[in-house]
Amino acid sequence: MRLKSLEEKYLVKADIKEASERVQKALEEIGLKNVSVKKHAPPRYLLIEYAPSWVGKALEIEFLFKETEHGTEIDVKWPYTREVPSKNEAPDVFLKYQEEMRKITKSLISDFKLKINAIELS
């Protein structure tokens, strides 16, 4: 199943280690269920797996960390919904579903950014 993702870039005024710790703590605090670290390649890469009920399978949120003179840049790829409708799903119902999932995910991301004290770069 192909998924649509929201991609964003943030600046966190902290070193990579602290930024990574903030990310992991914030994901738990915003209420994601079944969160686990799937792959951690310190200090630059973190792959988090979670299972949102609205998708029906585990999703992977990808974080790429880059240290800068102002802190740590974090590139995030956050999947939120299927790209194509199921066999018997009407296109208008599917588009409504996609928009609803996008809003839910944007709300989660907004809470997440506040928790890690991030400045949006893109």
Side-chain angles (χ1 to χ4, degrees):
M1 171 188 334
R2 294 189 56 193
L3 298 169
K4 284 189 140 193
S5 296
L6 295 171
E7 294 186 34
E8 299 193 352
K9 184 180 281 198
Y10 315 124
L11 177 66
V12 175
K13 295 190 179 202
D15 63 21
I16 288 179
K17 182 179 182 207
E18 183 181 339
S20 177
E21 289 170 358
R22 285 187 197 179
V23 163
Q24 291 178 61
K25 183 178 178 189
L27 290 171
E28 293 172 10
E29 289 177 355
I30 63 172
L32 292 185
K33 305 292 183 219
N34 303 320
V35 174
S36 64
V37 175
K38 186 168 181 183
K39 182 177 181 181
H40 189 209
R44 296 189 31 83
Y45 185 76
L46 180 64
L47 187 63
I48 299 289
E49 186 174 78
Y50 77 113
S53 60
W54 64 85
V55 175
K57 72 172 221 157
L59 299 180
E60 297 171 345
I61 307 170
E62 209 174 354
F63 297 92
L64 187 59
F65 302 90
K66 178 182 171 189
E67 193 139 8
T68 69
E69 63 184 67
H70 302 291
T72 301
E73 280 185 12
I74 305 173
D75 289 318
V76 182
K77 185 175 181 183
W78 195 306
Y80 66 95
T81 188
R82 299 174 275 127
E83 271 193 356
V84 294
S86 57
K87 286 183 181 180
N88 299 323
E89 192 171 23
D92 58 329
V93 171
F94 177 67
L95 290 175
K96 184 177 178 185
Y97 164 81
Q98 275 191 324
E99 187 54 34
E100 185 179 325
M101 296 308 99
R102 187 177 186 285
K103 285 179 185 176
I104 289 170
T105 305
K106 285 294 259 182
S107 176
L108 284 172
I109 290 172
S110 180
D111 291 347
F112 170 77
K113 287 189 292 193
L114 288 173
K115 298 277 184 195
I116 66 171
N117 197 22
I119 301 165
E120 194 165 338
L121 295 175
S122 57

